[in-house]
Amino acid sequence: MAKQSIYRLKGKSPEEVKHSFIHYMGDKNATSKQIKDAANSRYVKIDTIGIVRSICKKMFELENVYEITDAGRISSLSDALTTVINTKAEDGEIKELKNTRSYVNKYRDFLTYCANLNEEALDSTTPYDFADDQDKPFIDKDKFNEIVELLFRKKNIILQGAPGVGKTFLAKKIAYQLIGTKKDENIETVQFHQSYSYEDFIQGIRPTTTGEFNVRNGIFYNFCTKAKELPEETFVFIIDEINRGNLSKIFGELMMLIEFDKRSPRYALKLTYSDEDSPRFYVPENVYIIGCMNTADRSIAIVDYALRRRFAFCDVEPEFGETFRNYLGSALSKEFVDELCGKVNRVNEIIRTSSSLGKGLEIGHSYFCQLSSVDDEQEWWKSICKYELFPYLHEICFDNEELCGELCNILG
């Protein structure tokens, strides 16, 4: 995530405020390409729109909308645009004014976000509650709380689902809820892959700069050591793409130590690379593990049954309900949102009930969450279909061209 200090607006110039807005429109943890796309979107170019400049001058005696860092004032500007819209007779002009109002409203949302951060002092001591989170996943609140409770009880869970359902994003929010604050220093994230090993994860022999070889502790070992030093705090370890690694090889003797009833010094073991006088290792009870697993990749082996017994598995499904529709409505027309969700739901129904596919291959909602570059909703949709959805459907329907054509026709 981008440094939160970028959203402290007090004392910033209009250009610096605009720069912060660009980062916000890039979804706050954006890549450089997403930042560039956001900078070129119409949303952040509201300082160049004539009617916005005119209202700023008339209402606030300001030349640039980015001189305004109070959300209430921007709401008044939006109301003024609504008044203009209601007095216009030309349909084309009304549409353009409505688009402009949506740009202004997004800037208002940005200022509200910044104000909330400032009120919370931008630190990790602010209590976290999923219900009050303005940037939360689209999952139902009751289901979210059920998963958090399951993690608390079992200590190890795996979020499994199709590509694009927001598993990793959800994992971070679950961690915040369990910890009680947005304390990122108590959260560690790794991504497993085919080359990932026990030596990377727990402990191994590694070369030094002097050409010698020493025992070096891995990322999970160090994480557990930190947790042992702060037994009153909660620590969450997130493993993305957990089923892409050789799990038996990576976990080694941890296969026993991660069990919820083995989290104590009583079950400590001597590790493979430890010296005779090295202390035995155990996983402290204040460490919780969240794995994220993609159910769509046929090339990934079935999860080891010994590991499966030690985790609770939670299905994360595509969410196209009211909350998601409202999110899309910030940049897309209601009619288009209804059409989009209708098409994707029809495709997912076919995928879910197909004997050769199944629910693990459905289309997730995160394909449609990048709204910062929406200038023309039809072109935005065509681009997603052509470069993201159609290739995915061709992949999962590799042996059934007729089915693939049917699904693509529904979306197209």
Side-chain angles (χ1 to χ4, degrees):
M1 179 176 289
K3 293 181 179 179
Q4 289 187 333
S5 60
I6 198 170
Y7 301 119
R8 289 193 179 102
L9 303 183
K10 186 176 181 180
K12 286 188 175 180
S13 68
E15 194 59 35
E16 290 171 328
V17 172
K18 183 175 182 177
H19 180 69
S20 297
F21 186 37
I22 289 171
H23 273 265
Y24 175 85
M25 291 303 298
D27 287 345
K28 299 179 287 301
N29 58 345
T31 63
S32 58
K33 182 181 183 305
Q34 289 170 327
I35 294 294
K36 183 179 179 180
D37 290 342
N40 292 326
S41 72
R42 293 185 183 179
Y43 283 90
V44 300
K45 293 181 178 178
I46 51 176
D47 56 331
T48 66
I49 299 176
I51 190 167
V52 174
R53 294 170 63 91
S54 175
I55 294 175
C56 284
K57 181 71 173 178
K58 182 178 180 180
M59 294 183 68
F60 312 116
E61 296 185 352
L62 297 173
E63 299 291 338
N64 191 325
V65 68
Y66 289 120
E67 294 182 70
I68 305 172
T69 56
D70 177 75
R73 283 190 162 194
I74 296 300
S75 291
S76 298
L77 195 159
S78 180
D79 292 341
L81 282 169
T82 299
T83 301
V84 175
I85 290 169
N86 292 336
T87 60
K88 292 291 179 181
E90 297 293 332
D91 290 341
E93 194 169 7
I94 289 176
K95 180 179 179 181
E96 187 61 34
L97 286 170
K98 286 183 176 180
N99 287 338
T100 299
R101 183 177 59 186
S102 72
Y103 308 151
V104 170
N105 288 343
K106 182 58 69 174
Y107 180 58
R108 177 202 60 202
D109 295 342
F110 158 72
L111 294 178
T112 301
Y113 173 80
C114 294
N116 289 337
L117 287 180
N118 290 333
E119 289 172 4
E120 295 172 0
L122 297 172
D123 64 21
S124 60
T125 63
T126 304
Y128 176 83
D129 189 350
F130 177 79
D132 300 328
D133 191 346
Q134 299 299 310
D135 185 33
K136 59 189 172 188
F138 302 112
I139 189 173
D140 177 76
K141 182 179 71 172
D142 292 337
K143 184 175 180 180
F144 177 86
N145 290 331
E146 181 182 352
I147 295 174
V148 174
E149 179 62 30
L150 181 62
L151 176 61
F152 179 75
R153 175 175 60 83
K154 185 72 173 180
K155 293 195 180 291
N156 312 310
I157 65 170
I158 287 180
L159 306 177
Q160 61 177 1
V165 294
K167 298 180 288 294
T168 308
F169 182 64
L170 174 61
K172 194 70 170 287
K173 299 298 183 177
I174 292 171
Y176 286 155
Q177 187 76 17
L178 190 68
I179 294 170
T181 66
K182 290 185 177 181
K183 198 165 187 178
D184 289 322
E185 55 266 36
N186 284 24
I187 302 171
E188 188 67 70
T189 303
V190 300
Q191 186 179 79
F192 280 180
H193 50 77
Q194 293 178 345
S195 297
Y196 208 84
S197 67
Y198 175 93
E199 289 77 11
D200 300 313
F201 195 56
I202 304 173
Q203 193 179 74
I205 297 176
R206 290 286 185 262
T208 67
T209 56
T210 60
E212 300 174 335
F213 287 84
N214 292 333
V215 174
R216 184 181 299 174
N217 297 325
I219 188 170
F220 188 73
Y221 185 104
N222 291 331
F223 187 76
C224 288
T225 300
K226 181 180 178 181
K228 291 173 187 176
E229 295 170 353
L230 300 167
E232 300 302 317
E233 297 188 18
T234 299
F235 290 78
V236 181
F237 197 89
I238 300 173
I239 306 173
D240 194 26
E241 304 286 2
I242 189 171
N243 55 330
R244 286 190 176 273
N246 185 330
L247 301 181
S248 296
K249 179 181 177 182
I250 294 171
F251 278 88
E253 56 268 56
L254 252 69
M255 198 71 79
M256 182 189 80
L257 299 182
I258 63 173
E259 291 191 54
F260 73 94
D261 58 348
K262 304 290 193 301
R263 304 291 191 89
S264 75
R266 176 183 174 187
Y267 294 96
L269 297 175
K270 184 172 288 295
L271 298 178
T272 303
Y273 293 98
S274 296
D275 297 327
E276 286 299 322
D277 56 348
S278 297
R280 292 174 178 266
F281 177 79
Y282 68 95
V283 179
E285 61 179 356
N286 59 333
V287 169
Y288 298 80
I289 302 173
I290 303 176
C292 300
M293 187 171 80
N294 186 345
T295 55
D297 196 331
R298 289 185 175 90
S299 66
I300 299 176
I302 296 174
V303 174
D304 187 292
Y305 284 114
L307 190 70
R308 183 174 285 276
R309 184 175 67 80
R310 289 158 172 83
F311 282 81
F313 285 72
C314 308
D315 289 329
V316 183
E317 301 175 347
E319 298 284 348
F320 294 96
E322 182 179 356
T323 303
F324 180 71
R325 290 169 182 256
N326 290 338
Y327 170 78
L328 293 182
S330 66
L332 307 173
S333 65
K334 182 181 183 303
E335 295 77 11
F336 188 78
V337 170
D338 291 340
E339 181 182 0
L340 182 158
C341 292
K343 287 180 176 181
V344 178
N345 281 330
R346 285 172 59 197
V347 167
N348 279 345
E349 175 66 21
I350 294 173
I351 292 175
R352 187 165 54 248
T353 57
S354 170
S355 59
S356 61
L357 299 177
K359 65 180 297 183
L361 298 173
E362 292 178 279
I363 294 172
H365 50 269
S366 67
Y367 283 102
F368 317 105
C369 288
Q370 181 53 259
L371 300 177
S372 61
S373 58
V374 179
D375 290 329
D376 183 306
E377 57 190 25
Q378 292 291 345
E379 290 302 317
W380 172 80
W381 171 251
K382 288 178 183 178
S383 177
I384 292 176
C385 286
K386 182 177 180 180
Y387 297 108
E388 299 181 61
L389 300 183
F390 290 172
Y392 172 67
L393 293 175
H394 278 96
E395 176 66 25
I396 66 173
C397 301
F398 68 96
D399 57 349
N400 193 336
E401 292 186 8
E402 182 178 349
L403 177 57
C404 180
E406 178 186 355
L407 298 178
C408 290
N409 284 335
I410 292 173
L411 294 176

